[in-house]
Amino acid sequence: MSTTPPPPAMTTQPTTTERPADDGALGWFRALGPRGRRAFAGAFGGYALDSYDYFTLPLSMVALAAYFGLDSGQTGLFTTVTLLASGLGGALAGVLADRVGRVRALMITVITYAVFTVACGFAPNFETLLVFRALQGVGFGGEWAVGAILVAEYASAKHRGRTLGVIQSSWAVGWGLAVLVYTLVFSVFGDDMAWRVMFWTGALPALLVVWMRRRVQDAPEAIAVREKSAGQTSFTAIFKPGLLRTTIFAGLLSTGVQGGYYTLATWVPTYLKSDRGLSVVGTGGYLTFLISGAFLGYLTGGYLTDRLGRRRNIWLFALLSAVCILAYGNIPEGSNTLLLVLGFPLGFCMSAIFSGFGSFLAELYPTAVRGTGQGFTYNAGRAVGAVFPTTVGFLADSWGVGGALVFGAIGYGIAALALFGLPETRGKELA
């Protein structure tokens, strides 16, 4: 009997002549190959600027509330509308990614969120700002899912979690940049003008689109699958018997994690200024600890999702995130040093849980509907999760923002339960 092994099935991994050795600290990056590294740069930049444009609102929330005379429920509505619209945008972008390609869909999402972030700066009233923010959410919703798929299809199975974890860390980079610009803008301009200037700086992503149009391409296997299907992928395919269970539980997982995350992302700046009485500069300092923890959390979570597996990584950090939220929202008055220190583990845990999302969701769906599946589940979860920050907004006046943050912990509990309906996918090839 012959001992010759059968030929390997076609996967998204190039042959060894196309891909350098993938060992060492930067093996995950070398393993991408030249085209994959350009795709990585485009996705990293797009998500960082997506984050920057998103945080122009939470950082300007206090000034906006004063300018338009809004209560906590109305300001919370901004986040709800953004996240609800992102659900629609994510689903549309996912379908576009399967039909016209990952790179084209990515550029469309970046242009959309940039244009409407700038438009927010010209809003004459609350209602107009709400509409512009919703339209910004359409582009915001699609960017991460499409960028994550683009890079996942270049990454090796061995390093996919770590590679996508680094992509995820760009959210902290954009968040940090937004805090720096916020501190500068609100120190130079009065509050009535500063919030407008913050939104106008959201034009930065336009430069990225110009570069991407020339330099970034889809993975060859994704192009082949799209050409074979003639771009006729059906949105309903992810709800058919073979994928329905995956779609339901992946959407529930995303709802819990994002409900917890956006509760914090939306309300921590207000909590620091209103409940804890910090200045603009003081708020920036406290957020620096939170964002530093977030950046390292993304990188660590990316490593652990390859070592422990997708499900164990999410379980671990769902528990730790819930504990950190409860502790952070109940620090006694006068203990601002403890508040500063606890910001680091809070940022670390709530970000590490996200690191496995890009690889996990990509591995749950076949190539032909990967964009549709990942775009829908991630952003449907984001849209449904919008109820968490809104609930905090309506309860903030009676409970205080710190007390209402408990709803973020509930979100992480939902995420942990959702994992019982999903398989482990570590090491899976994207055939």
Side-chain angles (χ1 to χ4, degrees), residues 22-406:
D22 62 353
D23 53 358
L26 293 177
W28 62 269
F29 187 68
R30 291 194 299 271
L32 289 168
R35 289 176 59 174
R37 289 193 284 271
R38 289 195 295 271
F40 174 89
F44 188 97
Y47 197 48
L49 292 170
D50 196 17
S51 169
Y52 178 90
D53 278 14
Y54 173 81
F55 278 105
T56 53
L57 175 65
L59 291 168
S60 304
M61 197 87 89
V62 173
L64 279 170
Y67 186 86
F68 291 118
L70 309 177
D71 58 29
S72 295
Q74 288 174 305
T75 53
L77 192 58
F78 281 124
T79 297
T80 300
V81 166
T82 302
L83 299 183
L84 286 173
S86 76
L88 173 63
L92 290 174
V95 173
L96 274 176
D98 288 333
R99 293 191 175 186
V100 306
R102 306 343 186 182
V103 175
R104 287 182 184 176
L106 185 61
M107 290 192 293
I108 291 169
T109 64
V110 172
I111 291 170
T112 302
Y113 75 65
V115 167
F116 288 107
T117 298
V118 173
C120 287
F122 293 99
N125 52 50
F126 168 71
E127 292 77 13
T128 304
L129 181 57
L130 201 61
V131 171
F132 285 155
R133 190 64 181 180
L135 293 172
Q136 187 265 357
V138 173
F140 165 71
E143 196 286 332
W144 177 84
V146 177
I149 295 165
L150 174 66
V151 177
E153 290 173 339
Y154 276 108
S156 67
K158 177 181 178 182
H159 296 306
R160 190 174 296 118
R162 190 179 309 183
T163 305
L164 271 295
V166 177
I167 291 290
Q168 197 82 48
S169 74
S170 66
W171 181 266
V173 174
W175 188 4
L177 178 61
V179 170
L180 287 175
V181 174
Y182 156 80
T183 303
L184 175 63
V185 168
F186 275 80
S187 297
V188 172
F189 298 95
D191 283 6
D192 288 355
M193 176 57 68
W195 68 266
R196 294 187 184 275
V197 175
M198 278 295 296
F199 284 122
W200 291 337
T201 62
L204 289 171
L207 299 175
L208 176 68
V209 172
V210 174
W211 178 81
M212 286 177 58
R213 188 171 181 273
R214 295 181 170 215
R215 303 287 293 167
V216 183
Q217 298 173 293
D218 288 359
E221 290 79 5
I223 295 174
V225 170
R226 188 173 72 252
E227 290 176 346
K228 184 177 180 180
S229 65
Q232 297 302 310
T233 301
S234 171
F235 174 74
T236 59
I238 63 172
F239 299 101
K240 291 181 178 179
L243 291 173
L244 178 60
R245 176 188 174 92
T246 295
T247 298
I248 291 173
F249 282 99
L252 191 61
L253 172 67
S254 185
T255 296
V257 171
Q258 298 200 79
Y261 179 83
Y262 283 106
T263 295
L264 291 167
T266 301
W267 287 107
V268 164
T270 299
Y271 172 63
L272 294 175
K273 291 187 73 173
S274 300
D275 285 32
R276 311 300 298 205
L278 299 179
S279 65
V280 168
V281 175
T283 298
Y286 278 68
L287 288 176
T288 297
F289 267 70
L290 187 68
I291 295 167
S292 298
F295 180 74
L296 292 177
Y298 285 128
L299 298 180
T300 304
Y303 173 79
L304 290 178
T305 198
D306 282 333
R307 296 283 294 181
L308 302 178
R310 313 324 188 201
R311 298 167 79 237
R312 287 182 181 177
N313 183 70
I314 294 173
W315 261 321
L316 172 64
F317 287 107
L319 173 62
L320 294 177
S321 295
V323 170
C324 286
I325 288 177
L326 294 175
Y328 195 78
N330 290 281
I331 293 174
E333 291 292 333
S335 301
N336 281 356
T337 299
L338 181 58
L339 187 74
L340 178 71
V341 173
L342 190 56
F344 187 90
L346 176 64
F348 184 95
C349 294
M350 74 181 196
S351 298
I353 194 173
F354 268 110
S355 293
F357 257 59
S359 53
F360 194 27
L361 295 181
E363 291 159 355
L364 287 172
Y365 290 94
T367 301
V369 294
R370 185 166 295 126
T372 303
Q374 187 156 338
F376 175 78
T377 55
Y378 187 81
N379 290 286
R382 182 185 269 167
V384 178
V387 71
F388 289 84
T390 303
T391 302
V392 172
F394 281 105
L395 292 176
D397 292 334
S398 57
W399 290 25
V401 175
L405 289 178
V406 66

